[in-house]
Amino acid sequence: MKAITMSAKGQIAIPKEVRDTLNIKEGDQFIIEIAEGGRIILEPAVNIPRSQAWFWAPEVQDKIKEAEKNYKKGKFKRYEDADNLIKDLEKRG
């Protein structure tokens, strides 16, 4: 464990060894969280393009997890070709 010091401007430097290990580069953004016991957690922020943000919505992720469980249990249907798939989807309409 290594001690770091806060500057007069409230800045801290992440030691080079840590930056190299975690591949942290200049300009990277972080989410800061105050945890139990006054601990500070820094987590790299991942920027997601707006056009893809829907995919990460909790309800979409829940459906994906459910589909994965069904797949692992063998609860899925195979189609011989795309035409049969489309016909089946149209029936569900």
Side-chain angles (χ1 to χ4, degrees):
M1 188 180 312
K2 189 170 190 172
I4 57 176
T5 304
M6 184 183 314
S7 74
K9 293 183 179 183
Q11 298 171 327
I12 58 171
I14 299 172
K16 182 174 181 354
E17 176 184 307
V18 174
R19 294 191 317 264
D20 290 346
T21 300
L22 298 176
N23 196 29
I24 297 171
K25 305 288 185 220
E26 181 180 349
D28 286 355
Q29 295 183 336
F30 296 85
I31 296 168
I32 187 167
E33 180 183 337
I34 300 171
E36 230 176 274
R39 297 175 67 105
I40 298 170
I41 298 173
L42 285 179
E43 182 178 356
V46 179
N47 293 321
I48 301 168
R50 262 186 210 175
S51 63
Q52 297 175 16
W54 64 270
F55 181 81
W56 299 103
E59 53 274 5
V60 173
Q61 289 297 301
D62 289 344
K63 288 180 181 182
I64 291 170
K65 287 175 189 170
E66 183 180 348
E68 288 175 343
K69 285 179 188 175
N70 287 334
Y71 179 78
K72 287 178 182 177
K73 290 178 182 177
K75 295 181 180 180
F76 61 90
K77 187 174 181 180
R78 292 186 189 270
Y79 294 91
E80 294 176 23
D81 55 43
D83 290 335
N84 288 329
L85 169 62
I86 292 169
K87 286 177 188 175
D88 196 25
L89 290 173
E90 287 173 344
K91 286 179 193 175
R92 297 178 190 193

